[in-house]
Amino acid sequence: VNDNPSQYKITLSGTLKSPKLNFDPPFLIMMPVPLGVETEADINIIPQDYLRQSQIHVELPQIELEDGDRICPFSVQFPGGQDVVLSSDGKNNQLSCHISFRSSKPVSVLGNMCFIDEEEN
């Protein structure tokens, strides 16, 4: 600085956290219903450590029936949108998710819904 040939060394360190999603409730049990009747539930998705906007997508399980047919009796909607947004205080806003189930054939399911972002986290 000011034509002084002294050397300056700066050391930087940091920690990068991987983005993740938490769920409230952490698991979901849907009530048994008669054939063709819809059952539904709402969950909150709580994004953490997202540094930029991202969009959440869902992979729904397909079920193979006794006759070999495959169905996807689940549907998912995001009433407030699917975008993970960073708020002005640096936190990620939570997302509301509406899950419904309807089947015209008898089925019992224990499975996973995979919620992923644009970078497949």
Side-chain angles (χ1 to χ4, degrees):
V1 179
N2 295 335
D3 296 325
N4 187 348
S6 300
Q7 294 183 353
Y8 295 92
K9 182 178 179 182
I10 297 174
T11 303
L12 302 174
S13 65
T15 303
L16 178 63
K17 296 181 179 181
S18 294
K20 66 180 180 177
L21 300 172
N22 290 318
F23 298 88
D24 180 29
F27 61 91
L28 187 61
I29 299 173
M30 299 185 92
M31 297 301 297
V33 292
L35 295 178
V37 174
E38 185 174 80
T39 184
E40 52 195 10
D42 292 319
I43 63 170
N44 291 314
I45 301 172
I46 304 145
Q48 289 186 317
D49 301 322
Y50 279 83
L51 301 177
R52 62 179 175 265
Q53 184 171 324
S54 189
Q55 192 172 70
I56 303 299
H57 301 278
V58 185
E59 294 176 357
L60 299 173
Q62 284 195 350
I63 300 157
E64 186 170 347
L65 301 174
E66 290 179 4
D67 62 5
D69 286 347
R70 296 185 72 81
I71 62 169
C72 184
F74 293 100
S75 65
V76 173
Q77 296 176 338
F78 293 88
Q82 295 172 243
D83 292 332
V84 175
V85 178
L86 192 63
S87 67
S88 60
D89 64 357
K91 294 184 179 180
N92 299 122
N93 294 335
Q94 75 178 16
L95 304 171
S96 296
C97 180
H98 182 79
I99 300 171
S100 59
F101 173 92
R102 180 187 305 215
S103 178
S104 60
K105 296 187 178 182
V107 64
S108 179
V109 180
L110 175 61
N112 294 315
M113 290 182 182
C114 186
F115 291 79
I116 58 175
D117 64 20
E118 294 166 343
E119 296 178 10
E120 298 192 13
N121 291 310

